Amino acid sequence: MTNKLVFENLKHRPVRTLLGVVAISIQVTMVLALVGLSEGMLNDQASRARGVGADILIRPPGSAIIASGGQMLAKIIPAVIEKQPHVTVATGVLIFATDLFNYTTGLDLPIFDQLNRGFSFIQGGPFQGPDDVMVDELYASQHKLHVGDQTNINNHWWRVSGIYESGMLARVVVPLATLQNLTANSDKVSTIYVKVDNSANIAGVIADLSEKLKTYKVYSMEDYTSLFSPANVPMLTEFIWVVVSLGVLVGFLVVFLSMYTAVLERTREIGVLKALGASPGYILNILLRETVLLAIAGSILGILLSYVTRFVIHDLMHSLLIQAIVPQWWLAAAGIAIAGALLGALYPGLKAARQDAIEALAYD
Amino acid sequence: MIDGQPIISIRGLRKTYHVGEVDVHALRGVDLDVEPGEFVSVVGPSGSGKSTLFHIVGGLTPPTSGTISIGGRDLLGMSEAGRTELRKTSVGFVFQKYNLLPTLTARDNIEIARDIARKKGAKKNGPLDTEFVEVLKLLGIESRLDHKPRALSGGEQQRVAIARAIVNRPAILLADEPTGNLDTENSNAVLALLRDLNQRLGQTILMITHNPEAASYGHRLVRMRDGHIE
């Protein structure tokens, strides 16, 4: 019976109910989209790193796990790495940030191709000259590029020589020497990829290289890609918590206002329930059930809207941002929404529960 | 309740409200006994203390002093939880403005009273018993039960309110100006129903009214003035 009253109360004010549900859903979508973007971008980076086909990855001393910063001298490749037993190929790439989310990667294509089967081209092919650029299909689609087009990246005009399938290293690759010259990083690379003759030898090679290169960071590709999580991105976890807190605040305020108005509007009905013998707990229970129902409906809508944001980002905006759908966060996002909503309903609920029955019955 | 004892027994009942810095003496020593199965009409001008008496008997507010027992339960010093229990089990209210919950159908307005009175842990409401179904027929609302209050006339709404008030078989039915919002025809119908309930079921009724004609439906008339019973 209580559930029926709760349901009928929500049905009685459809616009207010809808607004409450939508406001809560935006909060849920905000959390899911942000977490989805973090995971999507990191998974994409991890998957592109795996696509390189290397077994070992070496980063400069003092560099962050997930960041393009830091350079090292390319000469350690012939001087140390290539001399290491079981190493079949070693090549360095230079990564230069184009903007917050995009990088231009310089590589020595003939050697890089030895790490794996090489780039898989959809249009065109490898560099023909020093000012050629190869882009992946997502970048080409977003920038409407075709083979033979000229494009300006980092204040330099490049000719598109090929468009390749996404999932390999980077979205924009150029000849290593050209990028080194353009960025005044002659003889420097950001990351060195190493291929080993047999996977059984990877651990041994890592141990030897770590010993020889001391301060450098030497990872197996498996370990490296497993580190792609929000916790390893500086400030990302804090940023997510700020957004989550904002979400709780929004849910709190929306439900507070909605329930406060509902309690004022239903003062007389609360008086009637009290006259019928309803305890303060019974009345609080009704309002809290209404709130939980609103929050559950808002959470479901919020989850559905996270598919819409993904559609907008990927299919309408053709953005390079990648939003993953994160079912492992659904319960947490719903929990956050319900907690915020319950906090918001607490004061109006207690106000209703403590309402004087005679005053409430006299309310017009 | 002890057989042969009044169902309502009031002695020297006083109620003082503090309004700002002023004390308002709404009841100034009321004595009243109501026997089980009696239909008592309480009349008096505005401000005579009728509503305050109604609220105290109904357990909506505590008395300031005096003694009052309802069905053998002493209300003086009774906690808020105790008065809530009293309203749940021993008293049924009928108001001038009907006070049905607008979001629920007539049937659900009756069911919610049963739901509230249901003991903790007891199973959900079963169907209404045949005796109560007969009462609904007597009230003439059995075919209107699936309508919401806005689809019912004033007379129908008040009859649903009466059904809601007696569904838990309260010891006392308290009616506060039950015909105040009704035309003559509906007023007469509602008053006749109250008398029927009193006669057929032995329902004790305490009715407040301004209307002398309505008051004449009771067995006994109690007049109030300035917080006293005349």
Side-chain angles (χ1 to χ4, degrees), chain B residues 49-63:
Chain B
K50 303 186 303 289
S51 292
T52 303
L53 180 65
F54 178 90
H55 292 149
I56 293 176
V57 173
L60 290 170
T61 188

Side-chain angles (χ1 to χ4, degrees), chain A residues 158-171:
Chain A
W158 306 86
R159 187 192 73 93
V160 178
S161 69
I163 296 169
Y164 56 87
E165 281 178 12
S166 298
M168 170 66 93
L169 181 66
R171 300 211 182 283

Side-chain angles (χ1 to χ4, degrees), chain B residues 4-207:
Chain B
Q5 294 289 310
I7 196 161
I8 302 173
S9 177
I10 300 172
R11 292 287 176 275
L13 189 69
R14 290 177 180 274
K15 177 70 181 179
T16 303
Y17 290 109
H18 304 287
V19 183
E21 292 181 6
V22 180
D23 284 348
V24 178
H25 302 288
L27 295 181
R28 299 160 184 255
V30 169
D31 298 321
L32 176 69
D33 283 332
V34 176
E35 301 301 325
E38 210 177 358
F39 184 168
V40 177
S41 302
V42 181
V43 295
S46 293
S48 61
K50 303 186 303 289
S51 292
T52 303
L53 180 65
F54 178 90
H55 292 149
I56 293 176
V57 173
L60 290 170
T61 188
T64 305
S65 65
T67 61
I68 173 167
S69 77
I70 306 288
R73 297 163 76 183
D74 188 3
L75 263 69
L76 192 73
M78 189 180 263
S79 65
E80 174 62 40
R83 283 188 279 115
T84 298
E85 189 62 25
L86 177 89
R87 296 195 296 269
K88 200 188 282 188
T89 55
S90 305
V91 182
F93 290 95
V94 175
F95 302 96
Q96 180 179 348
K97 290 183 179 170
Y98 328 129
N99 281 342
L100 297 179
L101 299 177
T103 55
L104 297 181
T105 60
R107 185 189 307 281
D108 290 337
N109 263 283
I110 296 167
E111 288 292 346
I112 193 115
R114 296 178 75 204
D115 188 61
I116 289 170
R118 191 157 45 88
K119 295 226 177 327
K120 255 188 185 169
K123 59 179 184 180
K124 290 190 173 177
N125 295 353
L128 293 164
D129 60 41
T130 40
E131 193 184 351
F132 192 75
V133 172
E134 287 305 312
V135 171
L136 291 177
K137 283 182 186 161
L138 177 72
L139 291 168
I141 51 170
E142 77 277 17
S143 63
R144 308 290 286 157
L145 289 177
D146 293 322
H147 292 80
K148 288 196 173 169
R150 64 171 181 272
L152 302 174
S153 70
E156 285 172 332
Q157 287 191 55
Q158 194 60 300
R159 280 180 275 161
V160 173
I162 292 170
R164 180 180 67 181
I166 60 171
V167 69
N168 294 319
R169 309 283 193 275
I172 307 156
L173 176 65
L174 293 173
D176 185 3
E177 298 280 9
T179 58
N181 273 16
L182 299 176
D183 58 25
T184 311
E185 190 186 339
N186 274 307
S187 292
N188 291 337
V190 164
L191 289 165
L193 280 169
L194 288 176
R195 192 171 53 194
D196 262 9
L197 290 173
N198 171 257
Q199 287 172 352
R200 291 194 193 192
L201 307 176
Q203 178 70 56
T204 308
I205 300 174
L206 190 65
M207 178 175 73

